[in-house]
Amino acid sequence: MLAAKIDPTGQILTLTTPDDPLRFHAMWLRDNAWDEDTRAPGNGQRLVALRDIPADTHITDASVNGDAVEVRFAPEGKTVTYDAHWLAQNAYDRPAPVQKGWLSAGTEPWDARLMGSVPTGDFAAMTRDQRALRDWLALVNRYGFGKLENGPVEDGALFKVVDLFGYVRETNYGRKFEVRTEVNPTNLAFTGMGLQAHTDNPYRDPVPSVQVLYCLESSAAGGENMVVDGFAAALRLRDENSDYFTALSSCCARFEYAGEDGVCLRSRRPMIELAPDGELIAVRFNNRSLAAVTDVPFDEMQTWYAAYRRLGEIIDDPAMEVTFRLEPGEAFVVDNTRVLHARKAYSGTGTRWLQGCYSDKDGLRSTYAAMCRASTQEAAE
Amino acid sequence: MLAAKIDPTGQILTLTTPDDPLRFHAMWLRDNAWDEDTRAPGNGQRLVALRDIPADTHITDASVNGDAVEVRFAPEGKTVTYDAHWLAQNAYDRPAPVQKGWLSAGTEPWDARLMGSVPTGDFAAMTRDQRALRDWLALVNRYGFGKLENGPVEDGALFKVVDLFGYVRETNYGRKFEVRTEVNPTNLAFTGMGLQAHTDNPYRDPVPSVQVLYCLESSAAGGENMVVDGFAAALRLRDENSDYFTALSSCCARFEYAGEDGVCLRSRRPMIELAPDGELIAVRFNNRSLAAVTDVPFDEMQTWYAAYRRLGEIIDDPAMEVTFRLEPGEAFVVDNTRVLHARKAYSGTGTRWLQGCYSDKDGLRSTYAAMCRASTQEAAE
């Protein structure tokens, strides 16, 4: 049975639930009211600013009626009804995460053992069937990458992939870029040499958070694609040597690309990025574009370089990598803030032609979340 | 006179300069070599990974010849020449910043006193004259916003503004969006009500880091545009009450927009974002889209709300705001990770029509930096 009680100051509401008691502050409750004077009924946007809520807000009365929790606020004299489930879901009366490098719910680190079950979707099915798309987006969210099969073999087909979930992020490389051998490459990605696993464009801030690579021709030997979970690599580093993890997450690296006329891209971000409360939110790793690192204190530079070396060794460890070959009409999508990608060297005979483009996670996550919401609503009807 | 000496382990090179002695680690020097086996001559990308540099790298010899510092590395037996000026510019042998909330060089906080000298550029001049563009981009970098006058009055003219420095970030709001009174607004920005100063789309991650608002019609009374420097506001908060600054920078807020079918955008980021070494890098502030904040520990929630209230009061303080009116053919560009914008309420008589779009700072900063590089090269020739 639910019960609600107020502390003597009216500042704290305690909701006694079948599990733990949950405490809420008066100001938090008032600011999160969902009545139509506080939130626009259509779009849910808040109609008031905190300045419109009195600083001396307190609770004068609280009661429970089934799943409805009714709270009366002074000095406004306003009564607001909350759904008890919503309160339980949004409760903040819980221990803070202790260890740095925690992952958000639904994020699953992986290593080479994922090879047998590479997250894969059927492009043709996804364009017809929203559930097929939703299932594939769920995999991309969970693992930070997804392969896609059975797509058209045509110039620009990669845009049809982006259309499934979001929008192209255009850059100085264009809306899309071609990845094939060039005689005078301006960027090493366009040569046949193998590349160490990396995230793309760490010299860009904000970094493009999604990358799509789409295969149009693939008769050259070699050139397999490889992905490594940067989150799993960072966590392995932490578990091996917490000083190394601290060095790479508490000091900013610098990245730069200035290899073309009119382009001079620079960023200053850590290789392992944590939210202020320790969530692991991004990895940047790219030997080609690492600039002179000048924000590591002198006394920590030796440790920082040892940590960078060890992270590279972990990333290079075959036990971390998942490899697959892209055939024409196949593509893969990576969360470029998490999953590193690489390709093995390929030979000059035959052709290998991929098209790449960038996109962003906001669209991908929004599309997925909206699909989940829609299916919950359907189930409820 | 320059001199170079090595410590007994060969791990540290000390460069004696007319100012301070500067120390560099052997590994840092080797990784930052600019010889053609280490860096591609054309584009400057690093050709080696750290795994290609022996872990036991040390310096066996160092000498100075004019501005050239010659360093010999073992076990590779490789000699690399460094420019002493480059070494001095990239030296990291200096005290780390002490106070949190420091600003990068060239970033200047401002308040209402900037009103008399709003950073402004002439669109027509900028399309003809690279120096005019460079000067305006310098202002945008320094102050986080810039006004633009003398542009064409035509649908989509805002794209010509973006073309000056970067690329449009397309979102679910389109490549551009219309800001005018609508009968059934899906978003409060499209009504005539005044809006508290805010940053746009904090529910998006990555957030669009540049916004362009371009005026096409403006005969309605009111509706002046107003900007507030979020960095100046955050620093004022810090100087008034460091606990408040800590609360907003060490705890994540949550933002959400789910007001349309197929859209469910959510983010988890602090209102005041610091780099791990304390640089102030972003402000997010938007009362309309703040979601239930659930990542603040229970015991800190009261302080967090007090801090959020005080930050809002600072933002609302007229002493912080710069106001200007956009006439048709005028626009403004804001760094949406720093500068808040607002509009005063406007009346329904007459019309007010703005077009808006998003872009990103990587392009803007790159264009500016490349222009500075080009002008340095011209000056040297």
Side-chain angles (χ1 to χ4, degrees):
Chain A
M1 273 300 289
L2 280 179
K5 70 166 196 249
I6 318 167
D7 79 321
T9 66
Q11 287 301 320
I12 296 170
L13 173 90
T14 301
L15 198 64
T16 312
T17 72
D19 306 316
D20 292 319
L22 296 173
R23 295 170 298 170
F24 298 89
H25 290 91
M27 191 61 72
W28 186 96
L29 286 166
R30 176 62 190 89
D31 193 37
N32 288 299
W34 275 91
D35 64 286
E36 61 184 19
D37 295 325
T38 306
R39 291 273 192 175
N43 59 41
Q45 288 188 293
R46 192 182 278 97
L47 297 165
V48 300
L50 194 56
R51 64 187 177 196
D52 302 314
I53 300 175
D56 60 347
T57 289
H58 57 282
I59 301 167
T60 54
D61 200 20
S63 61
V64 174
N65 187 357
D67 284 337
V69 181
E70 226 172 59
V71 181
R72 188 159 178 83
F73 295 97
E76 289 179 282
K78 182 180 179 74
T79 300
V80 178
T81 304
Y82 300 87
D83 174 41
H85 298 292
W86 186 90
L87 286 176
Q89 273 162 15
N90 289 278
Y92 52 92
D93 188 6
R94 50 181 162 75
V98 177
Q99 194 179 28
K100 285 189 187 296
W102 56 274
L103 300 178
S104 66
T107 300
E108 195 172 318
W110 50 265
D111 59 21
R113 287 168 289 181
L114 189 67
M115 188 96 97
S117 51
V118 169
T120 303
D122 183 287
F123 177 81
M126 286 195 267
T127 56
R128 287 191 311 266
D129 178 1
Q130 291 278 296
R131 278 170 309 179
L133 176 56
R134 193 189 68 206
D135 292 345
W136 183 73
L137 291 176
L139 294 172
V140 175
N141 270 330
R142 176 176 298 265
Y143 298 109
F145 80 106
K147 196 183 165 191
L148 208 139
E149 297 173 345
N150 201 19
V153 183
E154 60 188 38
D155 181 28
L158 80 175
F159 295 139
K160 295 185 177 172
V161 175
V162 176
D163 287 344
L164 292 171
F165 59 76
Y167 304 90
V168 169
R169 168 99 78 95
E170 189 174 355
T171 70
N172 52 295
Y173 300 136
R175 282 182 64 78
K176 64 175 165 63
F177 46 87
E178 310 290 332
V179 185
R180 51 177 155 188
T181 307
E182 289 181 11
V183 178
N184 288 309
T186 57
N187 190 303
L188 295 179
F190 305 148
T191 69
M193 64 183 271
L195 296 173
Q196 187 181 29
H198 59 276
T199 61
D200 259 40
N201 293 15
Y203 42 76
R204 211 180 280 288
D205 195 355
V207 75
S209 46
V210 169
Q211 176 170 21
V212 179
L213 277 167
Y214 199 104
C215 181
L216 293 175
E217 291 179 14
S218 183
S219 65
E224 287 85 8
N225 289 96
M226 178 217 295
V227 285
V228 173
D229 184 1
F231 281 5
L235 295 182
R236 187 171 149 192
L237 183 74
R238 179 194 69 182
D239 296 342
E240 284 181 9
N241 187 324
S242 64
D243 288 345
Y244 283 3
F245 183 81
T246 300
L248 296 187
S249 58
S250 67
C251 298
C252 284
R254 289 185 186 241
F255 298 93
E256 178 171 289
Y257 178 70
E260 296 165 39
D261 280 348
V263 174
C264 194
L265 290 155
R266 292 182 189 130
S267 72
R268 199 188 82 91
R269 290 271 180 176
M271 284 201 186
I272 298 174
E273 186 174 359
L274 305 178
D277 55 2
E279 186 194 356
L280 178 53
I281 56 174
V283 167
R284 290 171 182 79
F285 191 89
N286 191 316
N287 68 294
R288 285 168 291 148
S289 58
L290 184 71
V293 171
T294 59
D295 302 286
V296 177
F298 180 84
D299 291 339
E300 294 169 37
M301 187 61 90
Q302 207 133 7
T303 302
W304 189 91
Y305 256 102
Y308 169 34
R309 177 179 295 272
R310 184 60 197 146
L311 180 61
E313 288 168 355
I314 291 171
I315 285 165
D316 290 339
D317 181 353
M320 301 298 285
E321 78 183 42
V322 165
T323 307
F324 51 84
R325 194 180 163 81
L326 289 187
E327 301 299 336
E330 297 184 345
F332 74 98
V333 171
V334 287
D335 175 346
N336 189 50
T337 66
R338 171 182 172 188
V339 170
L340 297 81
H341 63 283
R343 65 144 188 265
K344 312 269 184 180
Y346 64 98
S347 71
T349 60
T351 57
R352 185 174 182 269
W353 177 22
L354 270 64
Q355 291 185 324
C357 73
Y358 299 118
S359 176
D360 277 304
K361 282 202 297 190
D362 59 337
L364 192 149
R365 296 202 158 168
S366 169
T367 301
Y368 175 63
M371 284 177 156
C372 293
R373 180 183 61 187
S375 66
T376 309
Q377 282 165 352
E378 272 169 34
E381 274 163 14
Chain B
M1 273 299 290
L2 279 178
K5 71 167 196 246
I6 318 168
D7 79 321
T9 66
Q11 287 300 319
I12 297 171
L13 173 89
T14 302
L15 198 63
T16 313
T17 71
D19 306 315
D20 293 319
L22 296 172
R23 293 171 297 170
F24 298 89
H25 290 90
M27 191 62 73
W28 186 96
L29 286 167
R30 176 62 191 90
D31 194 37
N32 288 298
W34 275 91
D35 63 287
E36 62 183 17
D37 295 324
T38 305
R39 291 273 193 176
N43 59 42
Q45 288 189 295
R46 192 182 279 98
L47 297 165
V48 300
L50 194 55
R51 64 186 177 197
D52 302 315
I53 300 176
D56 60 347
T57 289
H58 56 283
I59 302 167
T60 53
D61 199 18
S63 60
V64 175
N65 188 358
D67 284 338
V69 181
E70 225 172 60
V71 181
R72 187 160 179 84
F73 296 97
E76 289 180 281
K78 182 181 179 74
T79 300
V80 178
T81 304
Y82 300 86
D83 174 42
H85 299 291
W86 185 91
L87 286 175
Q89 274 164 14
N90 290 278
Y92 53 92
D93 188 6
R94 50 180 162 75
V98 176
Q99 193 179 28
K100 285 189 186 297
W102 56 275
L103 301 177
S104 66
T107 300
E108 196 173 317
W110 49 264
D111 59 22
R113 288 168 289 180
L114 189 66
M115 189 96 96
S117 52
V118 169
T120 303
D122 183 285
F123 177 81
M126 286 194 270
T127 56
R128 286 191 311 266
D129 177 2
Q130 290 278 295
R131 278 170 309 180
L133 175 56
R134 193 189 67 208
D135 293 346
W136 182 73
L137 291 176
L139 294 172
V140 175
N141 270 329
R142 177 177 298 265
Y143 297 110
F145 80 107
K147 197 182 165 191
L148 209 139
E149 297 174 346
N150 200 20
V153 183
E154 60 187 40
D155 180 29
L158 79 174
F159 295 139
K160 295 183 178 174
V161 175
V162 176
D163 287 344
L164 292 172
F165 58 75
Y167 304 90
V168 169
R169 168 99 78 95
E170 188 174 356
T171 70
N172 51 296
Y173 300 135
R175 281 181 65 77
K176 65 176 164 64
F177 46 88
E178 310 290 331
V179 185
R180 51 176 155 190
T181 308
E182 290 182 12
V183 179
N184 288 311
T186 56
N187 190 303
L188 296 179
F190 305 148
T191 69
M193 64 183 272
L195 296 172
Q196 187 181 29
H198 59 276
T199 61
D200 259 41
N201 294 14
Y203 43 75
R204 211 179 281 287
D205 194 355
V207 75
S209 46
V210 169
Q211 177 169 22
V212 179
L213 278 167
Y214 199 103
C215 181
L216 293 175
E217 291 178 16
S218 184
S219 64
E224 287 86 6
N225 290 97
M226 178 218 294
V227 285
V228 173
D229 184 1
F231 281 6
L235 294 182
R236 188 172 149 190
L237 183 75
R238 179 194 67 183
D239 295 342
E240 284 182 10
N241 187 324
S242 65
D243 288 346
Y244 283 3
F245 183 81
T246 300
L248 296 187
S249 59
S250 67
C251 297
C252 284
R254 288 184 186 242
F255 298 93
E256 179 172 288
Y257 178 71
E260 297 165 39
D261 280 347
V263 174
C264 193
L265 291 155
R266 292 181 188 133
S267 72
R268 198 188 83 90
R269 289 272 181 175
M271 285 201 186
I272 298 174
E273 186 174 359
L274 304 179
D277 55 3
E279 186 195 356
L280 178 52
I281 55 173
V283 167
R284 291 172 182 79
F285 190 89
N286 191 317
N287 68 294
R288 284 168 291 149
S289 58
L290 184 71
V293 171
T294 58
D295 302 287
V296 177
F298 180 83
D299 291 339
E300 294 169 37
M301 187 62 89
Q302 207 131 7
T303 302
W304 190 90
Y305 256 102
Y308 170 34
R309 177 179 295 272
R310 184 60 197 145
L311 180 61
E313 288 168 355
I314 291 171
I315 285 165
D316 290 339
D317 181 352
M320 301 298 286
E321 78 184 41
V322 165
T323 308
F324 51 85
R325 193 179 163 82
L326 289 187
E327 301 299 337
E330 297 184 346
F332 74 99
V333 171
V334 287
D335 175 346
N336 189 50
T337 66
R338 171 183 172 187
V339 170
L340 297 80
H341 63 282
R343 65 143 187 265
K344 312 269 184 182
Y346 63 99
S347 72
T349 60
T351 57
R352 185 175 183 269
W353 178 22
L354 270 63
Q355 292 186 323
C357 73
Y358 299 117
S359 177
D360 276 304
K361 284 202 297 190
D362 59 337
L364 192 149
R365 297 202 156 168
S366 169
T367 301
Y368 175 64
M371 284 176 156
C372 293
R373 182 183 59 185
S375 65
T376 309
Q377 282 164 352
E378 271 168 35
E381 274 161 15

